[in-house]
Amino acid sequence: MPYRPFEGQHCSIARTLAIVGERWTLLVLREVLLGRRHYAEIRRETGVATNILADRLETMVQHGILEVDADGAYRATPKGLDLQPVLIALMEWGDAHAGEPPPRVLVHTRCGHDTRPEYRCSHCGEPVPPQELRARPGPGATEQMRAAGVLPAG
Amino acid sequence: MPYRPFEGQHCSIARTLAIVGERWTLLVLREVLLGRRHYAEIRRETGVATNILADRLETMVQHGILEVDADGAYRATPKGLDLQPVLIALMEWGDAHAGEPPPRVLVHTRCGHDTRPEYRCSHCGEPVPPQELRARPGPGATEQMRAAGVLPAG
């Protein structure tokens, strides 16, 4: 079942959610990134219904997020790995606000330490607290968005 | 309509999605962060159905993500602002992979430049490509998760 696009949204957030915002999709991707590459394994780890699992895997393959080899093992493509920040952001919010101790902790293998990745500005390298971000109309902005000009982003 | 929790998931990603993973929730939050603070304004900008908008706003208020003042203006709480990285991550993936020019570009007001925030390790400050992340069992891990040990995370 394809996720119905958000009609009239000119927004990269909406475009991403139209592909991966369906219930379970990101949790299935999480399993693949955790190294569970086979249908039965993902099914066992998540308890997701078989028809839903099959649909979500197929959707991600169709969109080039996952690829499947001759043995039926799923692997994230570079496009799929680019979704890891979405999972990190969701995980960190849950760690901070879900009121339960973190089930998993990320480790940065290069430095060997536990890590809670934080967003830094691609230009100056400093943290980007919400209050320091604005959204300006980009090359894909509509006339209405251009007229609205620069908006706060936090 | 509350989002049905993911039964049996011991996962901060799932816990976050159980609160904000419902269709439209994050797009409504996006509007509030863009400075659209009133029901009618959010409705006009998004085209979301009135019953859905009312539900999503109420859900976010109940979870302390938004607060509403006496004039009916919504504002993100600190807990809500902590969701901004989720929106950033979704936006960046859409910018990179949705095949359309970016409708919005983020600006970092402190340095004054366009920015595409990138995740950096909280310990060493270096970027954290997916291949350099692992997931170890945390304090809230189940026995099964402890037995599985350290897993890849990309």
Side-chain angles (χ1 to χ4, degrees), chain B residues 58-117:
Chain B
E58 185 187 340
T59 296
M60 286 194 278
V61 170
Q62 283 174 350
H63 282 94
I65 292 166
L66 298 180
E67 57 192 5
V68 55
D69 68 17
D71 296 330
Y74 291 89
R75 188 175 297 271
T77 65
K79 185 175 176 179
L81 289 174
D82 278 354
L83 282 165
Q84 203 204 36
V86 175
L87 297 180
I88 290 173
L90 292 166
M91 176 181 171
E92 291 191 340
W93 194 86
D95 285 347
H97 296 293
E100 302 279 351
R104 293 187 180 90
V105 173
L106 292 177
V107 178
H108 183 207
T109 57
R110 179 179 289 265
C111 77
H113 289 84
D114 291 352
T115 187
R116 300 194 53 188

Side-chain angles (χ1 to χ4, degrees), chain B residues 7-82:
Chain B
E7 300 295 338
Q9 299 273 320
H10 297 271
C11 171
S12 290
I13 298 169
R15 287 170 183 156
T16 302
L17 289 173
I19 296 171
V20 301
E22 190 84 79
R23 185 177 165 79
W24 282 105
T25 304
L26 289 170
L27 297 181
V28 172
L29 177 64
R30 173 202 69 191
E31 289 303 312
V32 176
L33 294 185
L34 288 172
R36 281 82 178 240
R37 306 203 178 282
H38 291 272
Y39 181 95
E41 200 175 14
I42 300 168
R43 168 102 175 85
R44 187 182 63 232
E45 292 291 334
T46 59
V48 60
T50 54
N51 59 328
I52 294 175
L53 176 55
D55 173 85
R56 300 303 184 270
L57 288 167
E58 185 187 340
T59 296
M60 286 194 278
V61 170
Q62 283 174 350
H63 282 94
I65 292 166
L66 298 180
E67 57 192 5
V68 55
D69 68 17
D71 296 330
Y74 291 89
R75 188 175 297 271
T77 65
K79 185 175 176 179
L81 289 174
D82 278 354

Side-chain angles (χ1 to χ4, degrees), chain A residues 12 82 84 95 114 136 153, chain B residues 12 82 84 95 97 114 136 153:
Chain A
S12 290
D82 278 355
Q84 203 204 36
D95 285 346
D114 290 352
R136 70 168 179 82
Chain B
S12 290
D82 278 354
Q84 203 204 36
D95 285 347
H97 296 293
D114 291 352
R136 70 167 178 82

Side-chain angles (χ1 to χ4, degrees), chain A residues 21-90:
Chain A
E22 190 84 78
R23 186 176 164 77
W24 282 105
T25 304
L26 290 170
L27 297 182
V28 172
L29 177 64
R30 173 201 69 189
E31 289 303 312
V32 176
L33 295 185
L34 287 172
R36 281 82 179 240
R37 306 203 178 282
H38 291 272
Y39 180 95
E41 199 174 15
I42 299 168
R43 167 101 174 85
R44 188 182 62 234
E45 292 291 335
T46 59
V48 59
T50 55
N51 60 329
I52 293 174
L53 177 55
D55 173 84
R56 300 304 183 269
L57 287 167
E58 185 187 340
T59 297
M60 286 194 278
V61 170
Q62 283 175 351
H63 282 93
I65 292 167
L66 298 180
E67 56 193 6
V68 55
D69 67 19
D71 297 329
Y74 291 89
R75 188 175 298 270
T77 65
K79 185 175 176 178
L81 290 174
D82 278 355
L83 282 165
Q84 203 204 36
V86 175
L87 297 180
I88 290 173
L90 291 166

Side-chain angles (χ1 to χ4, degrees), chain A residues 10-11 137-138 140-151, chain B residues 36 103-104:
Chain A
H10 296 272
C11 170
T142 61
E143 282 305 309
Q144 187 186 359
M145 290 166 70
R146 289 182 206 286
V150 179
L151 298 175
Chain B
R36 281 82 178 240
R104 293 187 180 90

